[in-house]
Amino acid sequence: MVYDVFVGKTGDAGQTTVRLQTQGSDELTEEERELLKSRASQHTETLPDYTWRFHRKVNVGFKQVGHEAVIQDDSYETYVDAIVDELLTLTETFHPIFVEESG
């Protein structure tokens, strides 16, 4: 699986998508890709704020981070901090699942 960030628009009024996808995994066979998506589908409750679309290669799971909402929340100094935190949450949640179940 690939963990990445798509910045739709920068600045305080922008938005960023933090996402889990298989599109960038060119070395995977279609069978391996489907197996990873199946594993992920069994753990969606761990990140309930994400939207899940297992029929896709891009944006299998994703969450929109609205920059303005994050800044107004006072939990983060900048929206970049919130994006990094969300990407860490995504990888720390799913990487152990993929490693454990593949080994």
Side-chain angles (χ1 to χ4, degrees):
M1 292 299 240
V2 176
Y3 311 95
D4 78 2
V5 171
F6 173 76
V7 180
K9 184 178 175 190
T10 58
D12 293 350
Q15 68 177 9
T16 298
T17 305
V18 177
R19 57 194 188 179
L20 178 67
Q21 54 188 358
T22 63
Q23 182 71 25
S25 302
D26 295 332
E27 70 278 357
L28 291 177
T29 66
E30 201 58 38
E31 183 178 317
E32 291 169 325
R33 194 180 310 276
E34 291 303 316
L35 181 59
L36 286 172
K37 289 195 285 186
S38 175
R39 287 182 186 151
S41 72
Q42 297 169 20
H43 300 279
T44 57
E45 73 284 348
T46 59
L47 293 177
D49 293 341
Y50 277 66
T51 300
W52 298 98
R53 296 185 177 147
F54 292 103
H55 63 282
R56 302 175 74 177
K57 290 181 182 180
V58 177
N59 293 355
V60 172
F62 65 93
K63 179 179 179 180
Q64 294 285 338
V65 177
H67 302 176
E68 187 174 7
V70 169
I71 292 168
Q72 291 177 358
D73 182 8
D74 290 336
S75 297
Y76 301 98
E77 277 190 44
T78 70
Y79 66 86
V80 174
D81 295 330
I83 294 164
V84 170
D85 188 51
E86 195 58 52
L87 185 59
L88 285 172
T89 298
L90 178 64
T91 58
E92 289 172 352
T93 300
F94 276 96
H95 186 72
I97 291 166
F98 295 132
V99 169
E100 178 182 304
E101 293 185 14
S102 68

